[in-house]
Amino acid sequence: MTLRDPLQPIPTLSLPSGEWVPVLGQGTWTMGESRRSRREEAEALRLGLDLGMTLIDTAEMYADGGAEEVVAEAIAGRRDEVFLVSKVLPGNASRRGTIEACERSLRRLRTDRIDLYLLHWRGRHPLAETLEAFAELVRAGKIRYWGVSNFDTGDMEELTGLPGGAAVATNQVLYNLSRRGIEYDLLPWCRERRIPIMAYSPIEQGRILENTVLRRVAARHGATPAQVALAWLLRQKDVMVIPKAGRPEHVRENRAALDLELTAEDLAELDRAFPSPTRKVPLEML
């Protein structure tokens, strides 16, 4: 399997606002934790941008802001190419705290705006307060859109019932072959309302890559198990996928997953190895 022409655009999906974003982006969880690795991590992110993976996801929590600093280095001089996503910790998600957290993230990212700002998970602060802060940040031009992360179906129902809650742009959740719980109710609920899912930890932090079936499917295609796991997610047109890659070879491996077309036989085999849920499963998190 060869990498497609890097000039060929990555497929996109539409946010509720109508803005189109790449279905394959770049995650940054664990980046910035080692100062020795930061330059290589920034170079990997820049390579991803070169290959069209212009959605970059980060958070104030990652390395206590260190990941945002790595992103700042990676996007220096290229900010307008990037759809930038960051997150506020739930402990900071009061009205005032959300605004102050956003301003700290903007300073670390060395930018004047975040394209999509997410509540990382639910905490003690009322959702209504967080939404008020998001609305104020949008009015001030500091964020363009807002969304949530790690929200289950009941949380989404509560959110969208609040004033302004229908403007939610995405729900970023744990979703991969071994974590298919959202398929029972959360994914259909979001699809019905045209709220795209952003899938984090798409290869389960590497833990699924030794699976015999996954390796067999990969061997049939001359691909890697990680590429099969990514392709399984990417075949769904309303799911964004944000694998982390801290080294150039992994960036290229992730990008090439877009070229992999799984057959009906492949999908059936993967379904048997990683069955879809038959009942409600509480939302899982990492």
Side-chain angles (χ1 to χ4, degrees), residues 139-194:
R139 288 193 297 270
K142 294 180 179 179
I143 68 174
R144 298 178 59 225
Y145 312 109
W146 63 267
V148 293
S149 181
N150 298 303
F151 269 44
D152 208 343
T153 311
D155 301 314
M156 293 298 291
E157 289 173 340
E158 181 182 344
L159 174 74
T160 54
L162 292 171
V168 60
T170 192
N171 185 11
Q172 183 183 123
V173 294
L174 176 62
Y175 184 33
N176 59 49
L177 273 166
S178 66
R179 308 273 193 160
R180 297 180 63 176
I182 69 167
E183 294 177 1
Y184 186 80
D185 59 348
L186 178 60
L187 184 56
W189 189 96
C190 288
R191 279 186 170 145
E192 184 178 339
R193 291 155 183 82
R194 298 176 183 258

Side-chain angles (χ1 to χ4, degrees), residues 204-219:
E204 187 67 11
Q205 298 181 314
R207 287 186 288 270
I208 63 173
L209 300 184
E210 295 302 317
N211 179 271
T212 303
V213 172
L214 195 59
R215 294 177 72 85
R216 183 163 61 239
V217 172

